[in-house]
Amino acid sequence: MSEQLDAPIVIIGSGFAAYQLIKAIRRSDQRVKIQVFTADNGDDYNKPDLSHVVSKQQLASDLVRASGLEMAEQLNFELFANTFVDSIAPEQQQIMVAGKAYSYAKLVMATGGRAFVPPMSGNAVDRIVTLNSLQEYQAAEQELALAKRVLVIGGGLIGSELSMDLATAGKQVITVDPCEQLMANLLPEYIATELSKLMQQLGVHLALNTKVTRIDLSNDSSNNSGCLQVTLANGESFIVDTVISAAGLQANSLLAKQAGLMVNRGIVVDNQLQTSAMDVYALGDCAEIGGKVLAYLQPALVCANALAKTLLGHETAVVLPAMLVKVKTPHYPIQLAGQAVHQVNRWQLDIDSQGSCVQAFDTDERLQGFVVAGQHMSKAFGLLKHLGKPVA
């Protein structure tokens, strides 16, 4: 047991959540030992920037703010870069890496999420590109730079951002989504319709209420050999250079599941971010809090600050405030908070030539969500203060 008492805080993962946690720990304790095991280089970068790298003609290297080694030196932790954790043994308080056991006092799983690729058939399914990490973008950046025609699977938040960025960069873009509108779970119909109009003005072809069924190598002799033929469920077919899947995220929870931890949509945690195993915590895109996986930066930051206190011996529950989500569609800027689509009793629309504001109210006339767009963005913070409160 003495070995565990002297053991470090071990973090699996080196994304935004992991580094925010280490920064929070170091603000209070400069000496506690921390080890980070990560499957990549551990470089620090702003992941949301991946949504507009093409229009800015950026290389993956342009996004790196600090290398993994620089982060380890700045924040005083031991980095195990390009290292895969094979298993976790909660009862022994150890992780296994390449046959070697590493003990931990506390273990934090910050394994993030991976891009979801919907099931489909065809001989070129392996050509699908995902852009959920710096490494994925680096692998695809040359292909994306050369591509003239790009099909994006997914019309949600990330898919819409990517589609607008690609169109802004002069690409021919097709966006495919099974829902009847863009960002169906986040935007009321009016705002989604306005976004669709703008996308179409930019030249984006919207194929909604359908899905991709096949991706094959094109045998059209008039096209280059690297082209792809994409077939949709509605019968449409397109010849493109690249297919990107931006159809959502799945939590990287396999390690946790294999270790016997409770896993649902993500790794299930309590309000102190502890998993079903003692001294094992989960943070960021892999964690499920109150039945939800919150794949945004602000909740990850709030959770990291609370977890740092807990790991240092001051048990702290996570209290998530109402938070704004900014949609990075610069030709039609949008901010939203709460729930403005589902289980709404009534909507209140304020629309003029400058933009739109949609407020959603529940049966008790409390503001349960809102979406602001265009020049109405200035109303966002005022509305945020009234979220959950009855109309005056």
Side-chain angles (χ1 to χ4, degrees):
M1 189 67 182
S2 60
E3 184 182 359
Q4 268 75 32
L5 290 174
D6 296 332
I9 296 171
V10 169
I11 301 171
I12 304 175
S14 62
F16 175 81
Y19 281 149
Q20 290 302 317
L21 173 62
I22 298 171
K23 289 175 183 178
I25 291 172
R26 288 294 179 237
R27 285 195 289 269
S28 299
D29 190 322
Q30 295 292 323
R31 301 183 65 182
V32 63
K33 189 176 179 183
I34 301 173
Q35 292 179 335
V36 173
F37 292 80
T38 180
D40 56 32
N41 295 330
D43 295 341
D44 180 41
Y45 68 100
N46 185 33
K47 185 175 169 182
D49 286 346
L50 291 170
S51 292
H52 45 72
V53 287
V54 179
S55 66
K56 290 188 174 182
Q57 297 183 319
Q58 290 177 309
L59 299 175
S61 56
D62 296 330
L63 302 184
V64 176
R65 298 182 290 205
S67 70
L69 291 174
E70 289 169 336
M71 292 298 289
E73 184 176 353
Q74 290 172 20
L75 297 173
N76 184 28
F77 64 84
E78 187 177 5
L79 176 65
F80 294 81
N82 303 302
T83 301
F84 289 87
V85 175
D86 297 317
S87 62
I88 301 167
E91 292 185 3
Q92 288 75 37
Q93 289 192 235
Q94 293 179 333
I95 62 172
M96 296 298 297
V97 178
K100 182 178 178 181
Y102 292 84
S103 296
Y104 62 82
K106 308 282 186 181
L107 175 65
V108 180
M109 304 195 69
T111 49
R114 65 190 181 282
F116 172 66
V117 178
M120 62 195 80
S121 58
N123 61 20
V125 172
D126 61 346
R127 287 276 305 275
I128 294 173
V129 169
T130 57
L131 299 174
N132 188 49
S133 70
L134 190 68
Q135 291 68 36
E136 290 167 73
Y137 174 61
Q138 190 168 32
E141 61 186 1
Q142 185 175 5
E143 178 181 341
L144 288 174
L146 296 174
K148 295 180 179 178
R149 300 157 298 179
V150 182
L151 185 139
V152 177
I153 301 173
L157 179 72
I158 303 301
S160 296
E161 290 178 349
L162 279 172
S163 296
M164 182 174 285
D165 188 70
L166 291 162
T168 301
K171 314 283 188 187
Q172 296 177 36
V173 182
I174 302 110
T175 304
V176 182
D177 194 89
C179 296
E180 294 182 354
Q181 66 171 60
L182 294 174
M183 296 176 61
N185 292 320
L186 294 175
L187 298 183
E189 184 177 356
Y190 176 80
I191 301 286
T193 300
E194 292 300 298
L195 177 61
S196 294
K197 289 178 183 176
L198 193 282
M199 297 276 260
Q200 290 168 325
Q201 288 170 13
L202 290 171
V204 177
H205 176 84
L206 298 178
L208 304 178
N209 204 26
T210 189
K211 61 182 180 179
V212 175
T213 56
R214 294 188 63 88
I215 302 178
D216 295 287
L217 294 173
S218 172
N219 56 11
D220 187 340
S221 60
S222 66
N223 289 283
N224 296 327
S225 58
C227 295
L228 304 172
Q229 180 169 340
V230 183
T231 305
L232 308 188
N234 65 3
E236 284 188 285
S237 181
F238 302 95
I239 302 294
V240 299
D241 303 303
T242 300
V243 176
I244 301 173
S245 182
L249 291 181
Q250 289 181 309
N252 288 325
S253 56
L254 183 59
L255 263 180
K257 191 172 184 178
Q258 290 174 338
L261 306 186
M262 188 180 297
V263 172
N264 189 25
R265 291 179 58 208
I267 304 169
V268 178
V269 297
D270 62 17
N271 65 1
Q272 294 181 12
L273 302 181
Q274 183 166 263
T275 69
S276 54
M278 186 68 67
D279 294 324
V280 181
Y281 301 81
L283 177 69
D285 292 356
C286 68
E288 180 179 322
I289 309 170
K292 296 180 180 179
V293 177
L294 304 172
Y296 298 108
L297 296 187
Q298 192 175 353
L301 178 60
V302 172
C303 289
N305 289 335
L307 181 55
K309 296 175 183 177
T310 296
L311 295 177
L312 295 175
H314 306 285
E315 294 188 358
T316 303
V318 172
V319 179
L320 291 170
M323 289 177 271
L324 277 174
V325 175
K326 183 179 181 180
V327 185
K328 297 187 297 301
T329 46
H331 295 280
Y332 188 63
I334 299 170
Q335 284 188 326
L336 55 96
Q339 177 51 259
V341 177
H342 303 295
Q343 298 178 322
V344 177
N345 183 53
R346 73 174 179 92
W347 287 271
Q348 180 175 307
L349 278 68
D350 180 8
I351 303 166
D352 57 32
S353 61
Q354 301 300 306
S356 332
C357 172
V358 179
Q359 299 179 57
F361 297 92
D362 64 17
T363 52
D364 294 320
E365 283 298 294
R366 291 176 300 195
L367 181 66
Q368 71 172 51
F370 64 86
V371 181
V372 289
Q375 297 302 311
H376 285 246
M377 296 269 281
S378 58
K379 298 179 180 179
F381 286 105
L383 289 170
L384 192 65
K385 294 178 183 178
H386 290 92
L387 207 60
K389 298 178 182 178
V391 180

